[in-house]
Amino acid sequence: MDENTVNLLLDLQDKLGFLPKEDMIKLCREKKIPGVYVSGVATFYSQFKFSPPGKYKISVCRGTACHVKNSAGILQLIEEELGIKASGITKDSNISLDCVNCIGACAKAPAIMINGTVYGNLDNNKVKKIIKSLK
Amino acid sequence: MKITINNIQVEAKGQETIFQAAKRNGINIPHFCEHERLEIIGACRLCIVDIKGMPKLAASCCTPVKEGMIIETHSPRVIEARRINLELLLANHDLNCVTCKRNLNCKLQRYAEEFMIQDIRFEGEKRIEPVDNSSVSIRRDNNKCILCEQCIRVCNDIQTVYAIGLENRGFHTKITPPFGMSMKESACVNCGQCVIACPTGALTEKSDLNEVIVALNSGKYLIAQTAPSIRATLGECFGMSSGTPVTQKMVTALKEIGFKKVFDTDLGADICIIEEATEFVKRFKEKRDLPMITTCCPAWIKFGEQFFFDELSHMSSCRSPQAILASLIKTYFAGLMKIDPKEIILVDIMPCTAKKFEIMRDEFKGEADYVLTTVELARLLKQFNVDFSNLPDSEFDQPLGESTGAGAIFGHTGGVMEAALRTAADWLTGKDLKQIDYKNIRGMSTMKEAELELGGQKIKVCVVHTLGEARKLMEQIRENNSPYHFIEIMACYGGCIGGGGQPAPTRKYNLMKRTQALINEDEKMVLRKSHLNKSALKIYNDYLGEFGGEKAHKLLHTSYYRRDYI
Amino acid sequence: MPSLQKLIDSGKKELIEDRITVGLATCGISAGGLPVIEALAKAGLEIPVDKVGCIGMCYNEPVVTVIQNQKKSIYSNVTKENVSELIESIKNKKQHNKLLAANDINELDFFKKQKRIIMDNCGIINPLKLEHYLAQGGYTGLHNAIKIKPLEVIEVLKKSGLRGRGGAGFPTWMKWSFIAGKPGKKYLICNGDEGDPGAFMNRTIMESDPFKLLEGMAIGAYAMGCDEGIIYTRAEYPLAIETLEKAIDIANNNNLLGKNILGIKGFNFNIRIQKGAGAFVCGEETALICSVEGKRGNPMPRPPFPTDHGLYGKPTVINNVGTWSHVCAILRIGSEEYAKIGSEKTKGTQMICLTGRIQRTGVIEVPIGITIREMIYDIGGGSPDNTDVKAVLSGGPAGGCVPKEKFDTPLDYESLQGLGAIMGSGGFVVLNNESCMVNVARYFMNFTQEESCGKCTPCREGTKRLLEMLTNVTRGVGGESEIEKIRLLAEFIRDTSLCGLGQNAPNPVLSTLKYFKEEYLDHLNKKKCPAGACHNLIVYSIIDKCTGCGNCARNCPVNAISGQLKEKFVIDNKSCIRCGKCYDACAFKAIIKK
């Protein structure tokens, strides 16, 4: 059990975009790691995802700077616009929505990130426009 | 060093924790997660104490003593903190005490009562999860779990089975088999050590009581067999002290509630030894598949089939005493009495949750019908209003009721090996040896070894209990590094007296008393070697033929196969 | 360092000569710096274009610095839209006045009260050019260290008065001395798992000046006799990881890591990176060790302490990025010089992240002992819209608030602790009248509740209940007696939890209760949120400006608005769900919220 489970799972997720159950079980067998270790680690850390990401991955920053500038409202609006909740994905697998602790764009709060690009200084109208452009 | 606990100066040892020092001085601090054989995790925070000069309360289980420490274990501040702690646990608990199997026998309930928790100030959302009833041995109800992690530590650290573990984090943390599997699909070997460790009703044995009650009223031919260890533990369920032998009362009780015959699994144990010793002597002479490993323990068998399927040839092909006697009841006894075996319902009284799994194995289908654990039997007797302590004595029924001292000691760690050596030594030396006490393989150490010289040949044996120790021996075997010829493996700490179906707790102090009860049983017997059991010899003579012969093999032996696991 | 002299010379030359730099740490990139550098590079300018790290002026990102004809210009908020104008003026050898922030950073108020000894290179050098780092005096710290005996290095730290920058302020020399004498394998860990939302000091160093961290750790390795170091950082910091990986390679190739470092026989030290996978609790030393081993990040009881029984059971010293950088600075400038900075009990400087309702958001480095007022007003420029700053939250989710009345408190461990706040990692969030203190306490409780590992009862169950109770307050549910219940539970969690996360989780609640109890009472007794932030307590009403267009009623999802066209409409507050859709929909600003 010298294998580092966190690293194995990070690698697996890098390859597949998320952690499918079958692949985790395969990993356990190959590396002879008890399933409870892999399952326990995978469900502990917030980086690990169990469903595939959407074509557009929206990450809503829930850092402190964004919070005091109403990121909760931004999140709620996006949830309403997409009809899904955080950690969800639209039915057509087009857009997935997540919350992250801080994307490091505090000066541009409130901010979201879509596929690595930051959209900052958001208000309701800007958010609606952005979402519309993705649909 | 000197420390002060509750205004009384006491002596503490250098490496001790406050919890240990207090316990040694007769002060019991409430706790859930502390356990003498498990790693300290400091999770439940119920054992907190107030240390003078420290702003926060300290968990006594993981705070070492220091010279001059002044400790309060039950100050108002500590009591209030414990109450909040309990209220928080209860706020996330289903509170169905009356319908819980652990009602009146639950640590959470006991503390709630002791700390007078009458209303819960911090109520809110509860974690609700379905009950897992899939396993034939163990029922898991996470709605009663307080996350003390005793089960996980037993399963992972002591048993190295890794059937259950922690998942998620924070409020969503839960204990579960991996990847959404049920207990049945998991690597669980059904040893039930988690059941014993659980302070609440989150893990309990899967009960067959209702089926047995129906059977008792079915008009069929009801037979019970009782395992060697039950007689040393059943009394505890009725308030007797640990190690009180209750053999004859137990027989009377079973008769009273409707069993026609009560047979002694000890006889199965004697026959098991005859077969096993025959097999060992043969293998030893042929230098084949050594070391040979005993196979009385169904949890160990599943463990071996999962984790060491490549080394199954080392396992004795001999069935467990339960399976041997079950087989003889449905064949030999049924024939003798001219009863259709289908008319017999055989209920095994076992110390063990894994026996529930064993009787379901394809190889044993149609033999034993139900397994009740010691705890279940006690519950059944109470339901039937049996005044256990005042019962008169009766003896086991014949022809399957006679046993030797060797059969009796099967119930504790080292007993099977000792019994086997008594027979094998006689056979290898061709003598009737008088020195038959193998004391260095007795006792609670989890790994015991002995070397003996028999007929000019050296034999090295090893006895382990707990599957973590078994794993070490098996890895040695896998690497062709095992110095042993004969190995006894029992899954549970202490052997069957510490089985998953026995009354909790199974700590060292009471397991030693249970062991002594079995040793006393052995020592007062005239016959103390299995191969001298007259009933056994008669069965061979009348029915089975020679030791290890063809018919014996068909009825008394079995086979093992690979199982996949995660 | 004769072997490195060539590099030093070339680095010096590059740094003095004309060059254009763009700040391209995570903040610069997220502000749109990449298209800017691309445009500059493609523009065919005579002056070389280089990327640098983060200078700390988040509010001005992307920042472009131009040194042309030995004249420096600092441009702020350069975007892909206006970069062509800048290119034009560079070609014309003129300053672009509209984008010009200053001729030198020291002209800016943002920098005047800063003291930069560990951020000295940030935004100045190319993070991955070792020659730049060396030219700025890099590796003189290690060079000074190896001239003296290992234990003397620890003595230098003792004299400097350095305390760990991880939160509790434990004296660094003491921690080091616990393992220095131990034989056998031991580990050094750099804790770069900055999980605190709204704090990114560690990231700034890792991205902008990686060699500083490597040098600091190498000094530690020499002093404590370790040959293996691990940098634990969040997988969410991809740029930091990439930068560090490259920097480690470069250091290895230049004999600054690896075998017989700087020619000292037997001085071997390797560093690897371990990615964390997202768990705030891994900032706790014992949880961090579990995580580095690849397990669930569950904290363990202490003792045993990591310095006795750490990673893989071996003695281990864990310091955070800040501490290692300070080690590097101390060995470079000397303990006496270093000890001159700071207050009596705490020496040196501290990196702070200024965010929230403040004009100049950014990362700063200030001498310890500076007042909070100086940081907020002199450096940060106060609140952006001239609203009143009400309080500052220091130390993130484990910290507490400092109300404006206490803004003259100096920044140091003891003073902040005395107020019920902590320095923590150094995140400072400024709050104004639009921020509700209950809501902020609830926000942090939500964070710690989600980040609780779930091992111990007080934190697992307690933070959940505390969150529920705070949520109720923000909804105006319950009476005044709730407050005592909240305090009781908060103190219980603080006093009985297993690790620092649980023990400190109630701090934001307890400290807002201490200074802003009135706000709690307003929610419960008056059913009002004075800041107007708790949306369940907002009351929408229509004023006389209403033209009777009916747009509000059409947008209301629960039909709570009624009226006749061309007459004033009315909101039925009983059925209103406070979604605010009418407020957004009204073109005449005739709907107000109270």
Side-chain angles (χ1 to χ4, degrees):
Chain A
M1 265 170 267
D2 299 329
E3 295 283 357
N4 187 310
T5 312
V6 171
N7 286 346
L8 291 173
L9 289 175
L10 281 171
D11 290 347
L12 189 64
Q13 181 157 292
D14 271 352
K15 217 164 64 188
L16 303 172
F18 71 111
L19 296 175
K21 188 168 128 182
E22 298 69 36
D23 294 80
M24 284 195 282
I25 291 176
K26 218 171 101 193
L27 183 81
C28 294
R29 295 225 158 95
E30 272 170 17
K31 303 283 181 187
K32 296 200 165 54
I33 307 172
V36 285
Y37 282 15
V38 171
S39 192
V41 167
T43 55
F44 187 86
Y45 295 99
S46 57
Q47 280 277 299
F48 297 123
K49 307 281 178 228
F50 304 106
S51 51
K55 192 173 136 207
Y56 296 104
K57 243 173 89 176
I58 305 183
S59 310
V60 179
C61 180
R62 292 291 282 123
T64 318
C66 287
H67 174 76
V68 299
K69 292 190 176 165
N70 193 29
S71 62
I74 299 289
L75 173 65
Q76 203 191 339
L77 181 67
I78 298 176
E79 285 179 338
E80 277 169 22
E81 290 288 310
L82 295 176
I84 55 171
K85 288 275 164 200
S87 333
I89 183 164
T90 53
K91 272 190 193 138
D92 57 3
S93 301
N94 191 37
I95 305 172
S96 58
L97 178 63
D98 271 310
C99 290
V100 291
N101 279 341
C102 188
I103 57 174
C106 299
K108 306 242 175 264
I112 61 172
M113 190 154 73
I114 302 172
N115 291 358
T117 310
V118 173
Y119 297 80
N121 296 323
L122 296 175
D123 57 32
N124 286 2
N125 286 332
K126 276 192 195 170
V127 169
K128 280 182 190 165
K129 251 188 230 162
I130 293 167
I131 300 292
K132 213 172 177 184
S133 72
L134 300 180
K135 275 183 179 168
Chain B
M1 71 180 75
K2 297 244 185 299
I3 60 169
T4 308
I5 306 182
N6 304 339
N7 296 319
I8 300 164
Q9 209 177 55
V10 298
E11 191 65 37
K13 293 174 187 165
Q15 294 296 310
E16 260 177 340
T17 62
I18 296 175
F19 184 89
Q20 289 162 336
K23 192 175 175 187
R24 226 171 20 78
N25 286 286
I27 301 162
N28 281 317
I29 301 175
H31 62 278
F32 285 120
C33 69
E34 196 278 341
H35 187 290
E36 63 183 18
R37 287 189 296 123
L38 303 177
E39 185 198 357
I40 293 170
I41 57 168
C44 78
R45 316 308 283 176
L46 198 66
C47 72
I48 37 133
V49 294
D50 205 340
I51 301 172
K52 200 176 171 188
M54 273 176 59
K56 287 173 182 157
L57 298 169
S60 60
C61 70
C62 46
T63 309
V65 291
K66 256 195 207 139
E67 180 69 53
M69 228 178 207
I70 300 173
I71 301 154
E72 295 253 19
T73 65
H74 292 84
S75 68
R77 183 176 175 220
V78 170
I79 300 248
E80 175 67 359
R82 284 196 194 127
R83 294 185 60 153
I84 296 175
N85 189 313
L86 289 167
E87 282 178 51
L88 289 173
L89 290 174
L90 292 169
N92 200 0
H93 189 278
D94 68 10
L95 302 179
N96 292 330
C97 285
V98 220
T99 52
C100 176
K101 234 186 256 173
R102 293 290 295 268
N103 189 23
L104 304 181
N105 183 25
C106 161
K107 227 172 172 182
L108 179 62
Q109 194 186 38
R110 195 184 100 205
Y111 287 143
E113 194 266 334
E114 284 173 6
F115 285 88
M116 280 200 322
I117 310 295
Q118 279 158 353
D119 63 335
I120 296 162
R121 285 168 286 182
F122 313 103
E123 281 196 285
E125 184 195 331
K126 288 187 189 210
R127 209 175 27 234
I128 294 172
E129 277 185 68
V131 174
D132 182 352
N133 247 324
S134 63
S135 157
V136 295
S137 305
I138 295 164
R139 178 181 192 269
R140 237 166 40 82
D141 182 353
N142 266 350
N143 304 304
K144 299 179 191 297
C145 174
I146 56 168
L147 291 166
C148 67
E149 298 182 35
Q150 297 231 22
C151 53
I152 299 183
R153 283 176 288 160
V154 166
C155 186
N156 295 359
D157 301 349
I158 305 277
Q159 301 295 57
T160 65
V161 170
Y162 310 105
I164 47 175
L166 287 171
E167 243 175 50
N168 303 334
R169 70 178 184 210
F171 187 73
H172 303 288
T173 307
K174 62 173 179 181
I175 291 170
T176 168
F179 307 117
M181 287 176 178
S182 65
M183 280 297 269
K184 188 182 178 177
E185 298 161 308
S186 77
C188 174
V189 299
N190 310 295
C191 70
Q193 289 295 289
C194 57
V195 173
I196 292 267
C198 183
T200 72
L203 286 159
T204 50
E205 76 285 337
K206 180 75 168 291
S207 183
D208 294 304
L209 263 191
N210 292 334
E211 289 79 356
V212 171
I213 292 168
V214 171
L216 281 169
N217 291 289
S218 64
K220 293 205 172 180
Y221 197 101
L222 262 288
I223 298 177
Q225 65 159 317
T226 66
S229 63
I230 314 292
R231 61 208 70 183
T233 60
L234 182 62
E236 284 176 50
C237 302
F238 295 93
M240 299 177 192
S241 64
S242 299
T244 311
V246 294
T247 321
Q248 286 81 7
K249 284 191 194 317
M250 174 179 73
V251 177
T252 312
L254 287 164
K255 285 285 181 56
E256 233 178 55
I257 63 171
F259 285 98
K260 253 198 190 108
K261 298 280 179 198
V262 180
F263 291 141
D264 193 355
T265 313
D266 286 17
L267 171 67
D270 278 333
I271 294 172
C272 177
I273 288 300
I274 292 172
E275 287 300 312
E276 215 162 64
T278 307
E279 188 182 8
F280 174 69
V281 169
K282 195 162 176 240
R283 287 198 198 185
F284 185 71
K285 283 184 177 155
E286 293 171 7
K287 300 264 173 280
R288 178 174 61 80
D289 294 330
L290 291 174
M292 186 175 101
I293 310 168
T294 62
T295 48
C296 301
C297 172
W300 144 240
I301 291 172
K302 185 165 187 256
F303 183 88
E305 289 178 325
Q306 284 175 176
F307 301 107
F308 296 95
F309 52 82
D310 47 335
E311 303 294 344
L312 292 179
S313 65
H314 290 278
M315 292 166 97
S316 158
S317 65
C318 204
R319 293 183 182 195
S320 71
Q322 178 280 129
I324 286 177
L325 205 67
S327 161
L328 289 175
I329 288 169
K330 294 271 172 111
T331 55
Y332 168 71
F333 176 73
L336 212 60
M337 304 292 287
K338 302 198 170 51
I339 317 170
D340 179 357
K342 289 194 187 104
E343 282 304 301
I344 298 176
I345 293 181
L346 172 59
V347 178
D348 295 343
I349 313 298
M350 295 287 136
C352 180
T353 44
K355 288 286 171 191
K356 289 175 187 279
F357 174 79
E358 186 181 50
I359 65 164
M360 304 296 284
R361 289 179 71 106
D362 288 342
E363 307 89 279
F364 302 146
K365 278 263 164 72
E367 296 182 352
D369 295 284
Y370 302 105
V371 165
L372 294 184
T373 65
T374 315
V375 174
E376 282 178 284
L377 174 63
R379 211 172 277 138
L380 181 67
L381 296 179
K382 285 171 187 168
Q383 279 185 29
F384 278 66
N385 207 19
V386 174
D387 181 10
F388 191 78
S389 317
N390 296 315
L391 286 177
D393 290 352
S394 22
E395 299 298 329
F396 283 109
D397 289 301
Q398 297 305 341
L400 302 173
E402 190 208 346
S403 66
T404 69
I409 53 174
F410 258 58
H412 64 78
T413 165
V416 176
M417 180 59 76
E418 187 165 347
L421 288 178
R422 287 178 189 175
T423 295
D426 275 15
W427 288 351
L428 283 167
T429 56
K431 292 179 195 159
D432 181 16
L433 295 171
K434 295 284 169 267
Q435 175 44 45
I436 56 166
D437 290 329
Y438 295 89
K439 288 196 171 144
N440 38 359
I441 51 172
R442 292 181 188 170
M444 296 306 293
S445 160
T446 50
M447 201 275 225
K448 297 165 282 188
E449 47 181 9
E451 197 176 65
L452 30 143
E453 208 171 304
L454 298 172
Q457 304 195 68
K458 273 194 180 142
I459 295 186
K460 213 164 172 194
V461 303
C462 185
V463 171
V464 292
H465 48 133
T466 73
L467 291 169
E469 293 289 344
R471 185 180 283 273
K472 289 182 204 155
L473 292 190
M474 291 311 292
E475 267 155 17
Q476 253 182 0
I477 292 175
R478 189 173 266 166
E479 286 157 18
N480 275 326
N481 246 339
S482 180
Y484 307 112
H485 299 102
F486 200 1
I487 291 171
E488 174 198 305
I489 294 177
M490 292 291 164
C492 297
Y493 181 65
C496 301
I497 49 158
Q502 297 283 29
T506 52
R507 300 275 169 119
K508 202 171 167 181
Y509 73 92
N510 64 341
L511 291 182
M512 280 161 68
K513 288 183 188 159
R514 292 176 186 178
T515 304
Q516 196 53 48
L518 295 180
I519 291 174
N520 294 344
E521 194 97 341
D522 168 35
E523 282 173 352
K524 72 179 188 216
M525 298 270 200
V526 183
L527 295 177
R528 296 177 65 198
K529 293 172 181 172
S530 296
H531 59 283
L532 303 179
N533 184 319
K534 292 196 186 97
S535 297
L537 294 173
K538 185 168 161 33
I539 296 167
Y540 275 100
N541 196 36
D542 293 355
Y543 187 68
L544 290 170
E546 55 181 331
F547 297 165
E550 196 182 328
K551 193 161 183 189
H553 251 274
K554 194 168 154 246
L555 294 175
L556 311 179
H557 288 249
T558 185
S559 51
Y560 314 101
Y561 57 90
R562 174 181 180 164
R563 285 173 197 273
D564 283 333
Y565 67 96
I566 271 298
Chain C
M1 292 181 285
S3 58
L4 299 169
Q5 198 54 49
K6 248 189 180 167
L7 278 173
I8 296 174
D9 293 342
S10 76
K12 275 189 177 152
K13 197 161 159 258
E14 263 186 45
L15 288 177
I16 299 167
E17 282 178 355
D18 283 3
R19 67 199 265 261
I20 297 171
T21 62
V22 183
L24 280 181
T26 296
C27 44
I29 293 173
S30 70
L34 283 175
V36 170
I37 196 169
E38 215 174 291
L40 286 165
K42 275 193 196 149
L45 301 169
E46 294 164 2
I47 316 171
V49 179
D50 204 354
K51 62 177 178 185
V52 293
C54 170
I55 200 156
M57 295 193 289
C58 293
Y59 65 102
N60 270 341
E61 294 285 359
V63 175
V64 177
T65 306
V66 179
I67 304 174
Q68 194 169 20
N69 299 328
Q70 294 300 300
K71 188 173 160 33
K72 202 176 196 178
S73 322
I74 294 164
Y75 297 104
S76 66
N77 297 307
V78 183
T79 59
K80 64 178 175 199
E81 285 82 24
N82 59 27
V83 67
S84 51
E85 294 173 34
L86 180 64
I87 292 170
E88 209 47 42
S89 43
I90 296 172
K91 280 183 179 163
N92 298 332
K93 301 194 166 122
K94 277 185 188 156
Q95 277 192 329
H96 186 287
N97 292 328
K98 220 169 73 197
L99 293 171
L100 186 71
N103 289 313
D104 191 87
I105 57 166
N106 297 322
E107 289 173 8
L108 293 166
D109 287 338
F110 187 69
F111 291 95
K112 278 182 185 157
K113 287 205 169 172
Q114 289 197 45
K115 172 87 187 165
R116 291 160 80 98
I117 57 171
I118 60 171
M119 281 183 76
D120 50 351
N121 294 331
C122 293
I124 309 290
I125 64 168
N126 181 326
L128 286 172
K129 286 192 175 162
L130 178 61
E131 57 270 35
H132 284 186
Y133 181 66
L134 291 168
Q136 293 282 84
Y139 279 103
T140 46
L142 180 61
H143 194 68
N144 291 337
I146 57 175
K147 283 193 289 201
I148 53 179
K149 291 200 182 93
L151 288 181
E152 288 169 349
V153 175
I154 297 179
E155 207 50 39
V156 170
L157 288 189
K158 188 177 176 181
K159 279 188 198 138
S160 77
L162 176 64
R163 297 168 67 176
R165 290 299 193 264
F170 193 80
T172 306
W173 72 270
M174 207 187 278
K175 200 187 240 184
W176 286 24
S177 67
F178 289 150
I179 87 161
K182 291 197 172 111
K185 183 85 186 171
K186 18 191 181 178
Y187 293 96
L188 298 188
I189 295 181
C190 168
N191 180 0
D193 186 51
E194 201 167 38
D196 183 345
F200 41 89
M201 292 70 62
N202 290 350
R203 189 187 70 199
T204 303
I205 295 286
M206 291 189 283
E207 288 177 352
S208 307
D209 200 8
F211 292 110
K212 182 162 280 149
L213 179 55
L214 304 186
E215 184 186 349
M217 289 180 77
I219 293 169
Y222 175 76
M224 289 177 269
C226 297
D227 64 357
E228 193 172 342
I230 292 147
I231 300 175
Y232 181 81
T233 186
R234 309 171 63 190
E236 293 101 314
Y237 282 176
L239 183 62
I241 292 170
E242 191 194 320
T243 309
L244 279 170
E245 274 171 351
K246 286 182 181 159
I248 290 171
D249 278 348
I250 296 169
N252 272 317
N253 293 337
N254 287 281
N255 192 221
L256 296 164
L257 282 177
K259 280 210 163 130
N260 303 324
I261 295 169
L262 290 175
I264 307 285
K265 230 180 165 184
F267 177 19
N268 306 329
F269 185 54
N270 287 304
I271 296 180
R272 67 179 172 90
I273 294 170
Q274 173 63 45
K275 282 185 267 185
F280 180 65
V281 70
C282 291
E284 172 80 20
E285 288 193 346
T286 53
L288 187 149
I289 286 171
C290 285
S291 185
V292 172
E293 291 175 359
K295 302 176 189 157
R296 288 168 63 89
N298 286 122
M300 317 251 237
R302 294 184 299 183
F305 290 94
T307 44
D308 293 320
H309 186 95
L311 186 63
Y312 306 114
K314 305 288 180 216
T316 303
V317 153
I318 303 172
N319 284 130
N320 79 351
V321 175
T323 313
W324 291 116
S325 308
H326 279 279
V327 167
C328 188
I330 290 165
L331 267 294
R332 189 177 73 231
I333 63 176
S335 55
E336 277 159 31
E337 220 28 60
Y338 183 86
K340 281 182 194 160
I341 312 164
S343 69
E344 195 180 326
K345 280 193 171 164
T346 315
K347 301 297 175 195
T349 60
Q350 172 74 28
M351 279 174 81
I352 299 282
C353 255
L354 277 182
T355 56
R357 303 276 183 175
I358 191 163
Q359 265 196 37
R360 295 192 279 269
T361 307
V363 196
I364 58 174
E365 185 183 357
V366 289
I368 287 192
I370 191 174
T371 66
I372 294 169
R373 185 179 307 282
E374 287 173 286
M375 287 200 298
I376 293 173
Y377 290 97
D378 300 345
I379 298 175
S383 178
D385 26 22
N386 283 325
T387 50
D388 217 4
V389 173
K390 167 156 88 176
V392 62
L393 278 162
S394 83
C401 67
V402 179
K404 64 178 177 198
E405 294 77 26
K406 310 271 183 190
F407 277 1
D408 289 316
T409 309
L411 178 84
D412 63 54
Y413 294 98
E414 284 74 19
S415 306
L416 284 175
Q417 235 155 36
L419 296 176
I422 60 166
M423 187 119 83
S425 49
F428 271 61
V429 184
V430 178
L431 303 172
N432 68 357
N433 288 341
E434 287 170 32
S435 323
C436 166
M437 300 311 283
V438 187
N439 184 293
V440 167
R442 198 205 85 91
Y443 164 78
F444 279 125
M445 193 45 64
N446 185 47
F447 177 83
T448 35
Q449 190 267 140
E450 277 177 8
E451 293 295 335
S452 163
C453 82
K455 182 174 179 176
C456 78
T457 312
C459 182
R460 180 185 67 241
E461 309 289 339
T463 56
K464 171 77 177 175
R465 300 296 165 235
L466 209 44
L467 173 65
E468 287 171 343
M469 290 197 279
L470 289 169
T471 306
N472 280 343
V473 177
T474 61
R475 290 179 180 159
V477 178
E480 209 177 315
S481 62
E482 285 299 303
I483 292 182
E484 274 324 295
K485 259 169 70 180
I486 289 172
R487 192 195 305 277
L488 184 69
L489 185 55
E491 285 173 354
F492 164 78
I493 298 169
R494 181 193 64 195
D495 290 348
T496 67
S497 290
L498 168 63
C499 81
L501 185 135
Q503 290 164 7
N504 291 312
N507 287 353
V509 183
L510 289 168
S511 100
T512 49
L513 263 180
K514 183 171 171 187
Y515 298 112
F516 297 95
K517 191 176 172 187
E518 281 306 308
E519 287 197 21
Y520 282 79
L521 288 173
D522 283 345
H523 284 76
L524 292 169
N525 290 342
K526 298 184 192 154
K527 310 293 176 200
K528 278 243 148 56
C529 171
C534 297
H535 89 135
N536 284 71
L537 296 178
I538 293 170
V539 177
Y540 288 95
S541 52
I542 299 175
I543 54 172
D544 291 342
K545 273 190 191 172
C546 176
T547 62
C549 71
N551 202 24
C552 53
R554 278 192 293 280
N555 273 287
C556 178
V558 290
N559 293 325
I561 306 178
S562 57
Q564 296 288 320
L565 279 179
K566 296 191 178 169
E567 280 174 36
K568 189 177 144 191
F569 277 62
V570 206
I571 300 176
D572 172 21
N573 262 304
K574 279 202 185 108
S575 36
C576 170
I577 55 163
R578 285 108 174 105
C579 68
K581 289 214 163 75
C582 57
Y583 182 85
D584 289 341
C586 180
F588 307 96
K589 294 205 182 333
I591 297 179
I592 55 163
K593 50 179 179 180
K594 271 190 285 196

